[in-house]
Amino acid sequence: MSSLVAYEDSESEDDSLDQKEGGGSASVERGSCEQVKDNQDVMGCHFFEVTSRPHSFTADPDKTMLEYHENTSERNSSSLQPLCCVDRDMKYYNSGTAQDKHFRETPAPLSLPGTQGKLSPLQTLHHMAQSFGGESNTAKRPHTVPSGVRPYIPKRQRLVTSEEKTDPKYPAERVPGTQTRDSQLLSDVSAKVKPYLGHKSGAAGIPRRLLMSLGGHQGPVNTVQWCPVPHLSHLLLSASMDKTFKVWDGAESGQCLRVYTCHSGAVRDACWTPCGRRLLTGSFDNTAVITDVETGQQVVKFDNQYKVMCAVLHPSNPEIFLTGGYSSMVKAWDSRSCKVVKVYKAGIQQTLDILFLRGGVDFITSSDCVSRDSADRTLIAWDYQTTAKVSNQIYHERYTCPSLALHPLEESFAAQTNGNYIAVFSSQQPYRMNKRRRYEGHKVEGYAVQCEFSLDGTILASGSSTGSAHFYDYQNARMLHTLHAHSQPCLCVSQHPVLPATAATCDWAGEIKVWH
């Protein structure tokens, strides 16, 4: 079988075709092609001699060029490679399964358009020019995807189908025994919460009895948080040092509805977005991740370049969030562009917590920077827009503050201190501390014990290194009740936004309890 290839110095393929149609004899010989020869190792191109007779084309019309290429491959298997062997070296991000590895190592077969039927001599020459012609062919070849190889999907199409598909490496692991379908996680309304919807919430109550105990985490649980959307407020979020964060039914069944494994390090902080459909988490693997609650799809992942201790959403623009951790910088990220939009620098070692004040114009950061003679950088107030320090002379006692909480109604915020008390500050400049209010009775002792206000601002709750949960009257700083909740340090107390006298607690041993 013979095949036609253009001379290196031939003027064009059309001239060659004209000569053949005019009846002139032509002896076509392929000697060298600089462009093809430079890529000979990649393309596996062979040089051969082909002779055509006048007024006739001796190529067998029953055989296509692809068949000839396959025959040539059998004879020169030691030196010939498939045309698409470059695609074999393409690596897919986050694909480590054995099946994907097999697909990458298996060379894609040569596929030419229109060669599945019988071709005429001129058609054979035309397809040959399309396959091996260099810059002279401006038309794009139809792209055929070999079996088993995942095609490229444009970003916009991925965003459209993000709620229908799950990321292969970071799925939302289903817990055996749960009966909740994916479509029901954010559509079902708890029967226990339903009677309280549409009614004005009354005065906050104090939980006194154990409702349920939730087990499943293999490490300390750093935080628990109820969903802020009223009809989804039965969902409870937990973040643990076992590298996972989970969503529970904390109102009725106590089942773990989802387990998210998006991080390779301990999950230090987690919170709901205002819509209740996504979760923001920060981890010791130097990343912050926004995850879809229903599908477990990793919406976007941010490389923070340092261990994340806290991640906080902007109150008026949820697309913006701040991260702080083992660095002297606090970064503001835009989840739409996946870029850092602002950087706040201070002479500190790490940021323990971040709190936006009302309106999001200013925010407070808490650090571990405490000197022997001064604590001028323990709490720092920042201007969000200009990234300038508004004040660093807020808290003058030599204790670090592992947690901050904003009062829902008054212009004040609370700071948990390692001095075993909670201090209250004004949220207006110059952020003075209220020396007449000091909430004492619990222990911190170096743990990241959090504090939180009730929805009406009348009760201030705090965990304790002794395992107890403490509830204080905000107005007179008097302790109202103490729950002996855990045997290990109680790190967080989260009060329910809808159900009265209901709270969730978590401890250093990985246990979560719901009280009412």
Side-chain angles (χ1 to χ4, degrees), residues 88-117:
R88 181 189 61 182
D89 298 330
M90 298 297 294
K91 297 181 180 179
Y92 294 92
Y93 181 71
N94 290 336
S95 56
T97 61
Q99 183 178 5
D100 293 340
K101 182 178 180 182
H102 171 72
F103 292 151
R104 291 196 304 268
E105 293 179 354
T106 303
L110 178 64
S111 178
L112 294 177
T115 58
Q116 297 182 5

Side-chain angles (χ1 to χ4, degrees), residues 297-498:
Q297 175 73 29
Q298 179 180 288
V299 179
V300 62
K301 190 171 187 177
F302 307 88
D303 184 8
N304 217 58
Q305 299 180 349
Y306 57 77
K307 294 181 180 179
V308 180
M309 293 281 291
C310 50
V312 182
L313 292 166
H314 194 282
S316 59
N317 186 4
E319 303 294 340
I320 304 294
F321 67 93
L322 303 183
T323 58
Y326 286 80
S327 173
S328 61
M329 297 184 297
V330 173
K331 296 181 180 180
W333 294 85
D334 191 330
S335 60
R336 295 161 295 188
S337 63
C338 304
K339 294 181 179 180
V340 178
V341 292
K342 296 180 186 298
V343 177
Y344 308 86
K345 297 182 180 180
I348 58 177
Q349 294 180 350
Q350 62 177 322
T351 301
L352 303 179
D353 200 7
I354 302 173
L355 176 68
F356 269 106
L357 302 181
R358 215 167 314 280
V361 178
D362 301 337
F363 66 92
I364 308 293
T365 60
S366 172
S367 71
D368 67 343
C369 184
V370 177
S371 61
R372 185 178 62 179
D373 300 326
S374 175
D376 58 349
R377 289 170 292 180
T378 303
L379 296 179
I380 303 176
W382 302 83
D383 185 280
Y384 169 74
Q385 290 293 339
T386 64
T387 71
K389 293 180 185 177
V390 178
S391 176
N392 61 356
Q393 301 290 332
I394 300 176
Y395 184 54
H396 300 281
E397 299 187 27
R398 295 192 298 272
Y399 298 112
T400 57
C401 301
S403 173
L404 304 173
L406 181 66
H407 195 279
L409 301 177
E410 295 184 4
E411 297 295 333
S412 61
F413 68 92
Q416 181 79 267
T417 72
N418 269 302
N420 298 328
Y421 67 90
I422 299 176
V424 177
F425 301 84
S426 172
S427 59
Q428 300 290 333
Q429 296 186 28
Y431 313 106
R432 289 176 178 155
M433 183 174 70
N434 190 339
K435 297 183 179 180
R436 296 180 180 180
R437 290 186 187 178
R438 181 172 287 196
Y439 304 85
E440 297 176 302
H442 60 281
K443 301 291 184 181
V444 179
E445 297 177 345
Y447 288 96
V449 177
Q450 301 181 31
C451 59
E452 184 186 77
F453 286 100
S454 61
L455 196 62
D456 60 358
T458 59
I459 297 177
L460 177 60
S462 172
S464 176
S465 62
T466 61
S468 302
H470 299 263
F471 298 87
Y472 297 94
D473 188 309
Y474 171 70
Q475 295 298 332
N476 55 30
R478 181 173 57 91
M479 185 180 294
L480 299 175
H481 185 63
T482 299
L483 277 177
H484 300 286
H486 303 274
S487 59
Q488 295 291 323
C490 178
L491 302 181
C492 181
V493 180
S494 179
Q495 302 179 75
H496 200 281
V498 176

Side-chain angles (χ1 to χ4, degrees), residues 153-167 278 292 295 297-299:
I153 301 176
K155 183 178 179 181
R156 292 185 178 180
Q157 185 176 351
R158 290 198 305 267
L159 293 176
V160 171
T161 59
S162 62
E163 296 185 358
E164 300 177 0
K165 297 183 179 181
T166 304
D167 189 25
R278 292 182 176 181
D292 187 273
T295 65
Q297 175 73 29
Q298 179 180 288
V299 179

Side-chain angles (χ1 to χ4, degrees), residues 119-397:
L119 298 179
S120 64
L122 291 180
Q123 288 177 333
T124 305
L125 180 60
H126 175 68
H127 288 297
M128 195 169 182
Q130 283 187 341
S131 302
F132 297 98
E135 300 176 354
S136 61
N137 182 20
T138 59
K140 294 184 178 179
R141 291 183 299 168
H143 180 67
T144 58
V145 180
S147 176
V149 177
R150 293 177 298 177
Y152 171 75
I153 301 176
K155 183 178 179 181
R156 292 185 178 180
Q157 185 176 351
R158 290 198 305 267
L159 293 176
V160 171
T161 59
S162 62
E163 296 185 358
E164 300 177 0
K165 297 183 179 181
T166 304
D167 189 25
K169 183 163 184 182
Y170 302 121
E173 179 183 344
R174 288 300 302 273
V175 178
T178 181
Q179 301 297 324
T180 305
R181 297 193 302 269
D182 291 349
S183 59
Q184 292 182 339
L185 182 61
L186 297 181
S187 59
D188 290 345
V189 179
S190 173
K192 196 170 183 180
V193 176
K194 200 169 186 179
Y196 296 93
L197 298 178
H199 299 282
K200 185 177 180 181
S201 58
I206 300 174
R208 300 179 185 273
R209 293 186 297 114
L210 178 65
L211 178 62
M212 65 183 71
S213 181
L214 312 177
H217 280 295
Q218 304 301 318
V221 179
N222 293 311
T223 184
V224 288
Q225 188 180 96
W226 298 99
C227 182
V229 181
H231 70 277
L232 300 176
S233 59
H234 64 286
L235 301 178
L236 180 65
L237 170 65
S238 64
S240 173
M241 302 290 281
D242 63 1
K243 305 178 184 180
T244 66
F245 54 102
K246 303 182 180 183
V247 171
W248 310 75
D249 181 359
E252 292 186 78
S253 66
Q255 284 187 334
C256 180
L257 305 179
R258 293 289 186 277
V259 179
Y260 305 90
T261 57
C262 299
H263 292 286
S264 60
V267 184
R268 183 61 177 79
D269 196 13
C271 64
W272 297 85
T273 58
C275 64
R277 296 186 173 274
R278 292 182 176 181
L279 303 172
L280 172 63
T281 54
S283 172
F284 284 175
D285 63 0
N286 299 349
T287 63
V289 174
I290 296 179
T291 308
D292 187 273
V293 175
E294 275 193 323
T295 65
Q297 175 73 29
Q298 179 180 288
V299 179
V300 62
K301 190 171 187 177
F302 307 88
D303 184 8
N304 217 58
Q305 299 180 349
Y306 57 77
K307 294 181 180 179
V308 180
M309 293 281 291
C310 50
V312 182
L313 292 166
H314 194 282
S316 59
N317 186 4
E319 303 294 340
I320 304 294
F321 67 93
L322 303 183
T323 58
Y326 286 80
S327 173
S328 61
M329 297 184 297
V330 173
K331 296 181 180 180
W333 294 85
D334 191 330
S335 60
R336 295 161 295 188
S337 63
C338 304
K339 294 181 179 180
V340 178
V341 292
K342 296 180 186 298
V343 177
Y344 308 86
K345 297 182 180 180
I348 58 177
Q349 294 180 350
Q350 62 177 322
T351 301
L352 303 179
D353 200 7
I354 302 173
L355 176 68
F356 269 106
L357 302 181
R358 215 167 314 280
V361 178
D362 301 337
F363 66 92
I364 308 293
T365 60
S366 172
S367 71
D368 67 343
C369 184
V370 177
S371 61
R372 185 178 62 179
D373 300 326
S374 175
D376 58 349
R377 289 170 292 180
T378 303
L379 296 179
I380 303 176
W382 302 83
D383 185 280
Y384 169 74
Q385 290 293 339
T386 64
T387 71
K389 293 180 185 177
V390 178
S391 176
N392 61 356
Q393 301 290 332
I394 300 176
Y395 184 54
H396 300 281
E397 299 187 27

Side-chain angles (χ1 to χ4, degrees), residues 14-27:
D14 297 335
D15 297 338
S16 300
L17 292 176
D18 295 337
Q19 290 178 4
K20 293 181 180 301
E21 294 176 357
S25 62
S27 178

Side-chain angles (χ1 to χ4, degrees), residues 22-69:
S25 62
S27 178
V28 183
E29 181 175 336
R30 181 84 178 258
S32 64
C33 180
E34 295 180 358
Q35 181 177 0
V36 178
K37 188 175 182 180
D38 293 339
N39 299 282
Q40 183 176 0
D41 294 337
V42 179
M43 305 295 294
C45 183
H46 289 262
F47 304 98
F48 35 83
E49 181 175 342
V50 182
T51 304
S52 63
R53 296 176 183 178
H55 307 284
S56 66
F57 183 66
T58 60
D60 189 355
D62 295 333
K63 291 188 178 182
T64 63
M65 179 186 168
L66 178 60
E67 295 173 344
Y68 177 78
H69 182 80

